[in-house]
Amino acid sequence: MPRASTQNACPALRRLPTRPSRMVQAVVSRLLPLLFRSQGLELSHREAAEGLARAFAAQQSGACNLLIAFRHPSTRDPVVMADLFWNQVPLAARRLKLQLPRPIQLRFLYDRGIPIWAGPVIGWLLQRSGGIAIHRGRLDRPALAQARGALAQGRYPLVVAPEGATNNLSGEMAPLEPGVAQLAFWAAEDLEKANDERPLEVLPIGIHYSWRHPNWIALQARLASLERHLGINCTDAGPDNPETTSRDRLIQIGMNLLKALEQLERLTPDPAQTFIERVEVYRLHGLAKAEAHFGLRAVGNLQERCRRIEQAAWDRIYRESVDQLPPLQRSLADWEAREADLQLTRMRLVEHFTSVSGHYISDRANFDRFAEMLLLVEEAIGWIEDKPWKGQPSLGPERVELRLGRALPVRPRLSQYRSNRREAMQLFMQDLEQALVAMMPDASRETATETGEL
């Protein structure tokens, strides 16, 4: 994930309003096929598009309200989903002779930090595509109220990624955040209070990336490049066992990366610890160090702790009335902003590196998983060295498959929600998690845990 290097304190972040534009949406929808063609990305979505066409036809006729929850393995997911909604669903509706009285418009939640690292143009496009910017590290009441209102009103489907952020792994899912369940129950309550009898349904969408033609030669060449960069003796891949050789080489590269990070953090590993245990120690140390800097309590899961660190860093980088500070106070604010940026970088690296381990590539030794782990390692090195890693040669063209799961009705769960909110939300999230996992073609049927065993 790209990041900005902060040298000075900046004016406070302002709320980004939602300013949907049909013209912008029309232009973007026409450009998306060209983008995919240039990237060699093949989309497979016929059944998902037809299922969504039926759902949108019902929603636009006033028969139901929709909350769409999609897997989020890649930063490319937003453009893939946009093509599905804006291009493929209307085509499917025409094939099925379904009436869509209005062009498909959506409301979706996105992280307020995206325009910071992706740039103002991306922020502008998100606003004009129906995006609702939300601060993930704090209770963002205005954004939640806007999303809740949109879902209850029902004119536009609300789209969310329950994982909260990408994990860059198509074969395993990160823990789901409870916000999607809370929004669903809030909106269901609002519908009841308004005597609105429309059902509220949650539609799960699975997204799975793979390489169309496994290129073991390119994979081995990039592994060799990493080994040279890290000073590891290269291992020649045997023609008969590229899976075993690639797995061993990736694990060795991960070990060398971990050793470098342990040296950076002055950590002395226990020789009896496994690789996974050492990753856990490194992760907890990095989070604790950032939390101590900001005076935060170490509570919650990995996602919650990372989001609080992120928000604390932003509070020191983006300040109210920073331009009105006296010179000395302004210099101190700049100093504090630089230190906050370093802690934010530490958190990002911890968050990213926990995906690098042997578990993911040992459970199912196939080209796709090796390639995903290779990209994670290259990106981690780019983070450490503060410059993008240019992986060559190309691993080849990719395919993305989209699947639509069974709709989860919300209103029948309201009585349970009123009697025991925590239990009702947990059960709902378990059902949603199962629906998303079931759509992963080669998933190990296990979700990521807080041990870092990805």
Side-chain angles (χ1 to χ4, degrees), residues 315-374:
D315 289 343
R316 287 155 178 79
I317 295 172
Y318 303 97
R319 296 174 175 243
E320 292 286 350
S321 306
V322 66
D323 293 331
Q324 299 175 17
L325 292 174
L328 178 60
Q329 295 299 321
R330 175 58 194 255
S331 296
L332 292 174
D334 292 341
W335 189 344
E336 194 171 39
R338 288 192 290 271
E339 290 187 331
D341 185 66
L342 287 174
Q343 298 302 327
L344 186 58
T345 302
R346 170 178 276 111
M347 182 275 290
R348 297 285 193 216
L349 185 56
V350 167
E351 187 178 39
H352 189 87
F353 188 75
T354 51
S355 295
V356 179
S357 80
H359 173 78
Y360 187 66
I361 55 178
S362 294
D363 281 359
R364 289 179 180 269
N366 60 44
F367 180 86
D368 292 332
R369 291 198 172 204
F370 292 145
E372 286 181 331
M373 194 57 59
L374 170 72

Side-chain angles (χ1 to χ4, degrees), residues 69-96:
F70 68 97
R71 268 232 61 205
H72 198 11
S74 170
T75 54
R76 293 173 294 179
D77 298 339
V79 292
V80 168
M81 294 289 286
D83 179 71
L84 175 65
F85 293 135
W86 296 341
N87 291 330
Q88 306 310 320
V89 169
L91 289 174
R94 288 195 286 273
R95 283 199 305 270
L96 299 172

Side-chain angles (χ1 to χ4, degrees), residues 38-204:
S38 69
Q39 295 179 343
L41 185 64
E42 176 186 281
L43 280 72
S44 174
H45 41 48
R46 183 182 177 92
E47 291 184 3
E50 292 182 351
L52 284 169
R54 296 185 182 94
F56 283 135
Q59 176 263 326
Q60 291 196 4
S61 69
C64 66
N65 292 17
L66 294 179
L67 193 162
I68 296 170
F70 68 97
R71 268 232 61 205
H72 198 11
S74 170
T75 54
R76 293 173 294 179
D77 298 339
V79 292
V80 168
M81 294 289 286
D83 179 71
L84 175 65
F85 293 135
W86 296 341
N87 291 330
Q88 306 310 320
V89 169
L91 289 174
R94 288 195 286 273
R95 283 199 305 270
L96 299 172
K97 296 181 171 54
L98 295 171
Q99 294 296 320
L100 290 177
R102 303 186 301 273
I104 292 176
Q105 290 186 290
L106 308 158
R107 295 293 179 267
F108 59 91
L109 290 173
Y110 70 95
D111 178 19
R112 176 61 180 85
I114 291 177
I116 296 175
W117 57 261
V121 173
I122 298 299
W124 184 86
L125 286 172
L126 290 170
Q127 287 179 266
R128 280 149 185 82
S129 299
I132 301 172
I134 186 168
H135 288 262
R136 294 187 299 170
R138 68 184 188 206
L139 184 60
D140 191 341
R141 296 183 186 277
L144 290 173
Q146 184 182 354
R148 175 179 180 173
L151 184 56
Q153 194 270 341
R155 181 173 176 81
Y156 308 107
L158 179 67
V159 183
V160 297
E163 291 166 277
T166 60
N167 71 346
N168 299 293
L169 303 174
S170 284
E172 286 191 357
M173 191 163 59
L176 303 188
E177 296 182 352
V180 61
Q182 186 62 78
L183 279 171
F185 282 120
W186 279 343
E189 285 188 318
D190 293 343
L191 288 169
E192 274 211 355
K193 290 176 184 177
N195 294 318
D196 189 332
E197 297 182 355
R198 286 176 298 174
L200 171 59
E201 296 182 341
V202 177
L203 292 180

Side-chain angles (χ1 to χ4, degrees), residues 224-413:
S225 178
L226 284 172
E227 289 166 337
R228 288 191 296 271
H229 191 77
L230 298 173
I232 303 172
N233 291 328
C234 297
T235 304
D236 292 331
D240 299 326
N241 61 345
E243 294 91 347
T244 301
T245 306
S246 299
R247 181 194 62 206
D248 294 343
R249 294 172 75 180
L250 275 166
I251 291 174
Q252 183 64 27
I253 288 169
M255 286 290 291
N256 275 264
L257 265 180
L258 181 59
K259 287 178 184 178
L261 293 171
E262 288 170 338
Q263 292 174 1
L264 175 69
E265 298 291 353
R266 304 292 194 271
L267 289 172
T268 303
D270 183 344
Q273 288 179 326
T274 65
F275 178 71
I276 295 298
E277 290 170 340
R278 287 171 60 183
V279 170
E280 173 73 358
V281 170
Y282 162 73
R283 182 183 71 175
L284 293 177
H285 173 84
L287 291 179
K289 200 166 183 178
E291 288 164 340
H293 178 85
F294 295 120
L296 301 173
R297 293 176 57 204
V299 294
N301 59 30
L302 170 68
Q303 294 163 300
E304 293 167 341
R305 293 174 70 181
C306 287
R307 297 293 75 77
R308 281 196 295 272
I309 291 169
E310 179 182 64
Q311 187 60 51
W314 285 1
D315 289 343
R316 287 155 178 79
I317 295 172
Y318 303 97
R319 296 174 175 243
E320 292 286 350
S321 306
V322 66
D323 293 331
Q324 299 175 17
L325 292 174
L328 178 60
Q329 295 299 321
R330 175 58 194 255
S331 296
L332 292 174
D334 292 341
W335 189 344
E336 194 171 39
R338 288 192 290 271
E339 290 187 331
D341 185 66
L342 287 174
Q343 298 302 327
L344 186 58
T345 302
R346 170 178 276 111
M347 182 275 290
R348 297 285 193 216
L349 185 56
V350 167
E351 187 178 39
H352 189 87
F353 188 75
T354 51
S355 295
V356 179
S357 80
H359 173 78
Y360 187 66
I361 55 178
S362 294
D363 281 359
R364 289 179 180 269
N366 60 44
F367 180 86
D368 292 332
R369 291 198 172 204
F370 292 145
E372 286 181 331
M373 194 57 59
L374 170 72
L375 296 176
L376 274 170
V377 170
E378 291 177 343
E379 197 168 20
I381 291 176
W383 270 98
I384 295 170
E385 298 182 351
D386 197 17
K387 59 183 179 182
W389 178 275
K390 296 181 180 179
Q392 294 293 336
S394 170
L395 297 176
E398 292 180 74
R399 173 188 298 109
V400 56
E401 181 180 2
L402 296 105
R403 296 184 176 185
L404 181 65
R406 176 179 54 86
L408 303 176
V410 180
R411 297 187 70 162
R413 302 171 184 256

